Every structure is written in structure tokens, then in C-alpha cells.
Amino acid sequence: MNDTEMIECREPALQMQRLIAIMKRLRAPQGCPWDAEQTHRSLITNMIEEAYEVVDTIQRDDWEQMKEELGDVLLQVVFHAEIAREAGRFNFNDVAAEVSEKLVRRHPHVFAQSTADTTDAVLTQWDKIKRQEKGTEATPYLHGTGKGLPPMLRAWKLQKKAAKAGFDWPDAQGALDKVKEETAECEELLPAEEEDPRVTEELGDLLFSVVNLCRKKGIDPEAAMAGANKKFEQRFNEMERLLARDGVPLEEAGLDAMEERWQQAKSSR
């Protein structure tokens, strides 16, 4: 079956090949100008946005929308693989083969003779094999951990990996005490000028400690932050609605009026 025939193929087992053929056609001469001019770098934002949109569907238990968003993430992988194929670097099959080999190598308790009966044992084994593969046993333990991730997610990854080495609070109370300690240090710096680098440093320490508390409670800090954002937006919208009901434009409402409606919004949800 040639590429033209594959583009029209509806056979379920061949849809991955169909997607690859479609992307190849889009980037070919007389294809789509936008698709043709994209590069690995120009698509960075798209990859990040599509991943976050998948996360949103998971948090909302929207499985139908999740199917679509996962397709968009897969599209990004195919897009990058096609750009690489055109440059003679690698193709989609190379990408799939690479991850398949990795999964087999790093699961010897499934595909070989190793033993790992718990999640912690599996993660420890995975990390040990990864370090051996990359020849990084002599490099710092946290080297490269979470590189490229947003700061909050990287903090979570750094803390998780440090915990594997035994550097961790024994329980959530220890993490909460650290949050209190960092909060007190921030309070001491309240009179300082905004330009004082200590303010940024201490606020960073506070955020880092809150991420650590999330981790100790088994909560994804990004999910917690997303929930807080959603709640704030809903309450703010309700506050605005209540002000409008009373004939008070948001831009003209004083803080007292806003606070009164905010409390009403809180109690109504």
C-alpha cells in the first residue's frame, strides 16, 4: 500500500501508519505551507500546550476529550519524527524501537531474571539501570534530573529522586514544619525592599517546601495548583456577578465591596 492509499485507509490496525503518511504528505511539496515550514524549535510550545491539555482532561475525567488530546500529543511526536526523517537523523520507527528497547532493558523483573516486588524497588532498579546505561555513576546523583521541566515540576522530581537516596522527611509533619519555618523567614523579610535578592530566595524556599509537603501527602503539586487556580477563577467570576447584580462595576468596586461578595461566593460553593 503506497502513501496515497494509506492516507485513505480506515483499517484500525493501520492507523499509526496512516498518521505517518498524512504527516509526510502535509510536509511534501504542494502540501500545507504551515506544516512545511515548522521546525523542532518552532513546535516546542505546541508540545508543551498539548501535554497540559491532556492533563486537564484527566483532571476533569473527560475521557472522550482525552482521546482527542492524546491524539494531539501523538501528532507532535509524529511531526518531530518526520522532520528528523527528512534531515536523515531518524524516523518514527526508530523512536518506537528506542523506547521499546528501553522498556525491556529497564524491566528485568518482567523480561529477565531480576526481582523487584514493590514500586519502590522497581523505581530504584530503574534509576540504577539508567545511570549504568548513561555512564553517569560517577556524576552527581541529581545531575540532569527534571531538566527542561517547569520549575515546580522540577522541584517535585528533584525531591523524589533525593528521597530515593534516603534524604527525606520521615513523615508529612516534618515537611509541614519546614513550610512553617520558611514562612517565618519570609515574614522577617517583609520590610525589605522588593529588589533585595533575599526576598526572592526565601520565597523560592517557601515554594520548594510546599512542593515537598505535597509530595509527602502523595499530591501532584501541579494538580493542586490547577485546582486552586480553578477555584479562584470560579469565585472571582461569582464575585463579579454579584457586584453586577447590585449595579457595581468591577472596576469601580472598592476592596470592602469585593471582599463582601467574595465571602458570599465562597459560601455559595
mmCIF file of all heavy atoms in Angstrom, residues 153-185:
data_model
loop_
_atom_site.group_PDB
_atom_site.id
_atom_site.type_symbol
_atom_site.label_atom_id
_atom_site.label_comp_id
_atom_site.label_asym_id
_atom_site.label_seq_id
_atom_site.Cartn_x
_atom_site.Cartn_y
_atom_site.Cartn_z
ATOM 1 N N LEU A 153 7.464 21.479 38.741
ATOM 2 C CA LEU A 153 7.586 20.051 38.454
ATOM 3 C C LEU A 153 9.012 19.574 38.677
ATOM 4 O O LEU A 153 9.233 18.451 39.138
ATOM 5 C CB LEU A 153 7.165 19.761 37.007
ATOM 6 C CG LEU A 153 5.669 19.598 36.749
ATOM 7 C CD1 LEU A 153 5.422 19.331 35.266
ATOM 8 C CD2 LEU A 153 5.089 18.468 37.584
ATOM 9 N N ARG A 154 9.992 20.416 38.358
ATOM 10 C CA ARG A 154 11.385 20.015 38.563
ATOM 11 C C ARG A 154 11.684 19.884 40.052
ATOM 12 O O ARG A 154 12.404 18.971 40.469
ATOM 13 C CB ARG A 154 12.344 21.016 37.915
ATOM 14 C CG ARG A 154 13.789 20.570 38.055
ATOM 15 C CD ARG A 154 14.736 21.207 37.067
ATOM 16 N NE ARG A 154 16.000 20.504 37.106
ATOM 17 C CZ ARG A 154 17.114 21.002 37.647
ATOM 18 N NH1 ARG A 154 17.133 22.225 38.147
ATOM 19 N NH2 ARG A 154 18.221 20.286 37.656
ATOM 20 N N ALA A 155 11.119 20.770 40.866
ATOM 21 C CA ALA A 155 11.302 20.663 42.315
ATOM 22 C C ALA A 155 10.780 19.315 42.812
ATOM 23 O O ALA A 155 11.417 18.632 43.618
ATOM 24 C CB ALA A 155 10.578 21.807 43.022
ATOM 25 N N TRP A 156 9.609 18.938 42.317
ATOM 26 C CA TRP A 156 8.991 17.668 42.695
ATOM 27 C C TRP A 156 9.892 16.497 42.294
ATOM 28 O O TRP A 156 10.111 15.566 43.076
ATOM 29 C CB TRP A 156 7.626 17.583 42.015
ATOM 30 C CG TRP A 156 6.752 16.455 42.425
ATOM 31 C CD1 TRP A 156 6.351 16.146 43.693
ATOM 32 C CD2 TRP A 156 6.124 15.494 41.565
ATOM 33 N NE1 TRP A 156 5.520 15.053 43.678
ATOM 34 C CE2 TRP A 156 5.365 14.636 42.377
ATOM 35 C CE3 TRP A 156 6.127 15.300 40.182
ATOM 36 C CZ2 TRP A 156 4.623 13.581 41.852
ATOM 37 C CZ3 TRP A 156 5.387 14.251 39.660
ATOM 38 C CH2 TRP A 156 4.651 13.407 40.489
ATOM 39 N N LYS A 157 10.438 16.547 41.058
ATOM 40 C CA LYS A 157 11.311 15.476 40.582
ATOM 41 C C LYS A 157 12.601 15.410 41.400
ATOM 42 O O LYS A 157 13.078 14.320 41.753
ATOM 43 C CB LYS A 157 11.646 15.698 39.103
ATOM 44 C CG LYS A 157 10.501 15.494 38.150
ATOM 45 C CD LYS A 157 10.309 14.032 37.801
ATOM 46 C CE LYS A 157 11.381 13.525 36.867
ATOM 47 N NZ LYS A 157 11.110 12.148 36.393
ATOM 48 N N LEU A 158 13.191 16.557 41.684
ATOM 49 C CA LEU A 158 14.422 16.591 42.480
ATOM 50 C C LEU A 158 14.189 15.979 43.857
ATOM 51 O O LEU A 158 15.009 15.186 44.355
ATOM 52 C CB LEU A 158 14.911 18.033 42.622
ATOM 53 C CG LEU A 158 15.545 18.665 41.386
ATOM 54 C CD1 LEU A 158 15.694 20.167 41.578
ATOM 55 C CD2 LEU A 158 16.908 18.035 41.088
ATOM 56 N N GLN A 159 13.076 16.352 44.479
ATOM 57 C CA GLN A 159 12.773 15.846 45.818
ATOM 58 C C GLN A 159 12.527 14.344 45.794
ATOM 59 O O GLN A 159 12.969 13.612 46.690
ATOM 60 C CB GLN A 159 11.564 16.585 46.384
ATOM 61 C CG GLN A 159 11.827 18.051 46.670
ATOM 62 C CD GLN A 159 10.557 18.844 46.872
ATOM 63 O OE1 GLN A 159 9.462 18.296 46.873
ATOM 64 N NE2 GLN A 159 10.689 20.149 47.026
ATOM 65 N N LYS A 160 11.796 13.869 44.776
ATOM 66 C CA LYS A 160 11.520 12.431 44.662
ATOM 67 C C LYS A 160 12.814 11.637 44.515
ATOM 68 O O LYS A 160 12.986 10.581 45.135
ATOM 69 C CB LYS A 160 10.610 12.160 43.464
ATOM 70 C CG LYS A 160 9.144 12.468 43.681
ATOM 71 C CD LYS A 160 8.322 12.144 42.448
ATOM 72 C CE LYS A 160 8.360 10.662 42.129
ATOM 73 N NZ LYS A 160 7.513 10.334 40.940
ATOM 74 N N LYS A 161 13.727 12.154 43.690
ATOM 75 C CA LYS A 161 14.967 11.420 43.480
ATOM 76 C C LYS A 161 15.846 11.458 44.726
ATOM 77 O O LYS A 161 16.467 10.447 45.083
ATOM 78 C CB LYS A 161 15.728 11.993 42.283
ATOM 79 C CG LYS A 161 16.928 11.134 41.895
ATOM 80 C CD LYS A 161 17.490 11.494 40.545
ATOM 81 C CE LYS A 161 18.633 10.546 40.170
ATOM 82 N NZ LYS A 161 19.209 10.861 38.848
ATOM 83 N N ALA A 162 15.898 12.601 45.398
ATOM 84 C CA ALA A 162 16.669 12.693 46.637
ATOM 85 C C ALA A 162 16.119 11.723 47.686
ATOM 86 O O ALA A 162 16.876 11.115 48.451
ATOM 87 C CB ALA A 162 16.650 14.123 47.174
ATOM 88 N N ALA A 163 14.786 11.574 47.696
ATOM 89 C CA ALA A 163 14.149 10.667 48.656
ATOM 90 C C ALA A 163 14.564 9.220 48.408
ATOM 91 O O ALA A 163 14.670 8.415 49.351
ATOM 92 C CB ALA A 163 12.632 10.805 48.574
ATOM 93 N N LYS A 164 14.798 8.864 47.132
ATOM 94 C CA LYS A 164 15.240 7.506 46.825
ATOM 95 C C LYS A 164 16.570 7.183 47.488
ATOM 96 O O LYS A 164 16.860 6.031 47.807
ATOM 97 C CB LYS A 164 15.368 7.319 45.307
ATOM 98 C CG LYS A 164 14.077 7.343 44.538
ATOM 99 C CD LYS A 164 14.370 7.148 43.058
ATOM 100 C CE LYS A 164 13.131 7.348 42.207
ATOM 101 N NZ LYS A 164 13.443 7.239 40.757
ATOM 102 N N ALA A 165 17.390 8.223 47.683
ATOM 103 C CA ALA A 165 18.696 8.044 48.322
ATOM 104 C C ALA A 165 18.590 8.125 49.841
ATOM 105 O O ALA A 165 19.601 8.044 50.543
ATOM 106 C CB ALA A 165 19.675 9.083 47.805
ATOM 107 N N GLY A 166 17.361 8.291 50.360
ATOM 108 C CA GLY A 166 17.147 8.357 51.802
ATOM 109 C C GLY A 166 17.135 9.749 52.379
ATOM 110 O O GLY A 166 16.981 9.922 53.595
ATOM 111 N N PHE A 167 17.299 10.781 51.505
ATOM 112 C CA PHE A 167 17.286 12.156 52.004
ATOM 113 C C PHE A 167 15.849 12.662 51.969
ATOM 114 O O PHE A 167 15.388 13.200 50.961
ATOM 115 C CB PHE A 167 18.190 13.039 51.131
ATOM 116 C CG PHE A 167 18.417 14.422 51.680
ATOM 117 C CD1 PHE A 167 19.240 14.624 52.774
ATOM 118 C CD2 PHE A 167 17.809 15.517 51.104
ATOM 119 C CE1 PHE A 167 19.447 15.892 53.280
ATOM 120 C CE2 PHE A 167 18.005 16.796 51.602
ATOM 121 C CZ PHE A 167 18.837 16.980 52.701
ATOM 122 N N ASP A 168 15.147 12.475 53.064
ATOM 123 C CA ASP A 168 13.718 12.794 53.075
ATOM 124 C C ASP A 168 13.230 12.931 54.507
ATOM 125 O O ASP A 168 13.826 12.386 55.442
ATOM 126 C CB ASP A 168 12.938 11.670 52.374
ATOM 127 C CG ASP A 168 11.537 12.083 51.958
ATOM 128 O OD1 ASP A 168 11.223 13.286 52.014
ATOM 129 O OD2 ASP A 168 10.761 11.196 51.564
ATOM 130 N N TRP A 169 12.120 13.672 54.670
ATOM 131 C CA TRP A 169 11.473 13.734 55.964
ATOM 132 C C TRP A 169 10.828 12.383 56.269
ATOM 133 O O TRP A 169 10.323 11.717 55.364
ATOM 134 C CB TRP A 169 10.394 14.826 55.979
ATOM 135 C CG TRP A 169 10.905 16.204 55.697
ATOM 136 C CD1 TRP A 169 10.735 16.935 54.559
ATOM 137 C CD2 TRP A 169 11.672 17.027 56.580
ATOM 138 N NE1 TRP A 169 11.353 18.150 54.663
ATOM 139 C CE2 TRP A 169 11.937 18.247 55.895
ATOM 140 C CE3 TRP A 169 12.171 16.860 57.872
ATOM 141 C CZ2 TRP A 169 12.668 19.268 56.458
ATOM 142 C CZ3 TRP A 169 12.904 17.888 58.436
ATOM 143 C CH2 TRP A 169 13.136 19.077 57.737
ATOM 144 N N PRO A 170 10.813 11.981 57.527
ATOM 145 C CA PRO A 170 10.194 10.685 57.859
ATOM 146 C C PRO A 170 8.685 10.678 57.652
ATOM 147 O O PRO A 170 8.093 9.631 57.414
ATOM 148 C CB PRO A 170 10.562 10.480 59.335
ATOM 149 C CG PRO A 170 10.841 11.861 59.859
ATOM 150 C CD PRO A 170 11.452 12.605 58.711
ATOM 151 N N ASP A 171 8.070 11.871 57.752
ATOM 152 C CA ASP A 171 6.618 11.952 57.554
ATOM 153 C C ASP A 171 6.240 13.349 57.095
ATOM 154 O O ASP A 171 7.096 14.238 56.964
ATOM 155 C CB ASP A 171 5.874 11.600 58.858
ATOM 156 C CG ASP A 171 6.360 12.424 60.058
ATOM 157 O OD1 ASP A 171 6.697 13.614 59.857
ATOM 158 O OD2 ASP A 171 6.410 11.885 61.166
ATOM 159 N N ALA A 172 4.953 13.544 56.835
ATOM 160 C CA ALA A 172 4.474 14.831 56.333
ATOM 161 C C ALA A 172 4.627 15.946 57.363
ATOM 162 O O ALA A 172 4.751 17.120 56.994
ATOM 163 C CB ALA A 172 3.013 14.722 55.907
ATOM 164 N N GLN A 173 4.621 15.597 58.636
ATOM 165 C CA GLN A 173 4.753 16.616 59.675
ATOM 166 C C GLN A 173 6.086 17.344 59.556
ATOM 167 O O GLN A 173 6.159 18.566 59.728
ATOM 168 C CB GLN A 173 4.621 15.994 61.068
ATOM 169 C CG GLN A 173 4.627 17.016 62.206
ATOM 170 C CD GLN A 173 3.492 18.017 62.119
ATOM 171 O OE1 GLN A 173 2.336 17.634 61.970
ATOM 172 N NE2 GLN A 173 3.808 19.301 62.201
ATOM 173 N N GLY A 174 7.143 16.590 59.261
ATOM 174 C CA GLY A 174 8.450 17.217 59.083
ATOM 175 C C GLY A 174 8.425 18.205 57.937
ATOM 176 O O GLY A 174 8.998 19.295 58.024
ATOM 177 N N ALA A 175 7.760 17.839 56.847
ATOM 178 C CA ALA A 175 7.653 18.731 55.698
ATOM 179 C C ALA A 175 6.826 19.967 56.043
ATOM 180 O O ALA A 175 7.140 21.087 55.621
ATOM 181 C CB ALA A 175 7.036 18.000 54.511
ATOM 182 N N LEU A 176 5.746 19.778 56.811
ATOM 183 C CA LEU A 176 4.907 20.912 57.217
ATOM 184 C C LEU A 176 5.683 21.852 58.135
ATOM 185 O O LEU A 176 5.569 23.085 58.022
ATOM 186 C CB LEU A 176 3.645 20.411 57.927
ATOM 187 C CG LEU A 176 2.693 21.487 58.449
ATOM 188 C CD1 LEU A 176 2.215 22.380 57.316
ATOM 189 C CD2 LEU A 176 1.500 20.846 59.160
ATOM 190 N N ASP A 177 6.473 21.296 59.040
ATOM 191 C CA ASP A 177 7.288 22.133 59.926
ATOM 192 C C ASP A 177 8.261 22.990 59.109
ATOM 193 O O ASP A 177 8.532 24.144 59.460
ATOM 194 C CB ASP A 177 8.062 21.256 60.914
ATOM 195 C CG ASP A 177 7.152 20.604 61.946
ATOM 196 O OD1 ASP A 177 6.020 21.091 62.128
ATOM 197 O OD2 ASP A 177 7.573 19.602 62.567
ATOM 198 N N LYS A 178 8.768 22.408 58.023
ATOM 199 C CA LYS A 178 9.683 23.164 57.154
ATOM 200 C C LYS A 178 8.945 24.306 56.459
ATOM 201 O O LYS A 178 9.501 25.405 56.305
ATOM 202 C CB LYS A 178 10.300 22.225 56.113
ATOM 203 C CG LYS A 178 11.364 22.882 55.247
ATOM 204 C CD LYS A 178 12.557 23.346 56.073
ATOM 205 C CE LYS A 178 13.658 23.909 55.195
ATOM 206 N NZ LYS A 178 14.787 24.458 55.997
ATOM 207 N N VAL A 179 7.700 24.064 56.058
ATOM 208 C CA VAL A 179 6.887 25.132 55.453
ATOM 209 C C VAL A 179 6.727 26.275 56.457
ATOM 210 O O VAL A 179 6.849 27.452 56.096
ATOM 211 C CB VAL A 179 5.502 24.599 55.033
ATOM 212 C CG1 VAL A 179 4.594 25.756 54.607
ATOM 213 C CG2 VAL A 179 5.639 23.603 53.885
ATOM 214 N N LYS A 180 6.449 25.935 57.715
ATOM 215 C CA LYS A 180 6.280 26.952 58.753
ATOM 216 C C LYS A 180 7.578 27.730 58.966
ATOM 217 O O LYS A 180 7.567 28.952 59.144
ATOM 218 C CB LYS A 180 5.835 26.293 60.056
ATOM 219 C CG LYS A 180 4.448 25.668 59.994
ATOM 220 C CD LYS A 180 4.101 24.964 61.297
ATOM 221 C CE LYS A 180 2.714 24.340 61.240
ATOM 222 N NZ LYS A 180 2.382 23.599 62.490
ATOM 223 N N GLU A 181 8.690 27.008 58.963
ATOM 224 C CA GLU A 181 9.997 27.653 59.145
ATOM 225 C C GLU A 181 10.271 28.644 58.009
ATOM 226 O O GLU A 181 10.701 29.781 58.261
ATOM 227 C CB GLU A 181 11.086 26.586 59.183
ATOM 228 C CG GLU A 181 12.503 27.142 59.263
ATOM 229 C CD GLU A 181 13.557 26.056 59.102
ATOM 230 O OE1 GLU A 181 13.327 24.923 59.576
ATOM 231 O OE2 GLU A 181 14.609 26.337 58.495
ATOM 232 N N GLU A 182 10.002 28.206 56.777
ATOM 233 C CA GLU A 182 10.251 29.080 55.630
ATOM 234 C C GLU A 182 9.282 30.271 55.629
ATOM 235 O O GLU A 182 9.639 31.376 55.213
ATOM 236 C CB GLU A 182 10.125 28.296 54.320
ATOM 237 C CG GLU A 182 11.139 27.174 54.160
ATOM 238 C CD GLU A 182 12.572 27.677 54.084
ATOM 239 O OE1 GLU A 182 12.781 28.897 53.926
ATOM 240 O OE2 GLU A 182 13.486 26.852 54.177
ATOM 241 N N THR A 183 8.046 30.039 56.085
ATOM 242 C CA THR A 183 7.072 31.131 56.172
ATOM 243 C C THR A 183 7.553 32.188 57.160
ATOM 244 O O THR A 183 7.453 33.405 56.906
ATOM 245 C CB THR A 183 5.696 30.595 56.617
ATOM 246 O OG1 THR A 183 5.245 29.613 55.683
ATOM 247 C CG2 THR A 183 4.677 31.719 56.689
ATOM 248 N N ALA A 184 8.095 31.744 58.286
ATOM 249 C CA ALA A 184 8.609 32.675 59.295
ATOM 250 C C ALA A 184 9.775 33.491 58.739
ATOM 251 O O ALA A 184 9.889 34.693 59.014
ATOM 252 C CB ALA A 184 9.043 31.899 60.540
ATOM 253 N N GLU A 185 10.629 32.849 57.954
ATOM 254 C CA GLU A 185 11.763 33.563 57.373
ATOM 255 C C GLU A 185 11.295 34.600 56.347
ATOM 256 O O GLU A 185 11.879 35.679 56.243
ATOM 257 C CB GLU A 185 12.730 32.561 56.735
ATOM 258 C CG GLU A 185 13.438 31.682 57.764
ATOM 259 C CD GLU A 185 14.396 30.689 57.128
ATOM 260 O OE1 GLU A 185 14.600 30.761 55.896
ATOM 261 O OE2 GLU A 185 14.941 29.844 57.859
#
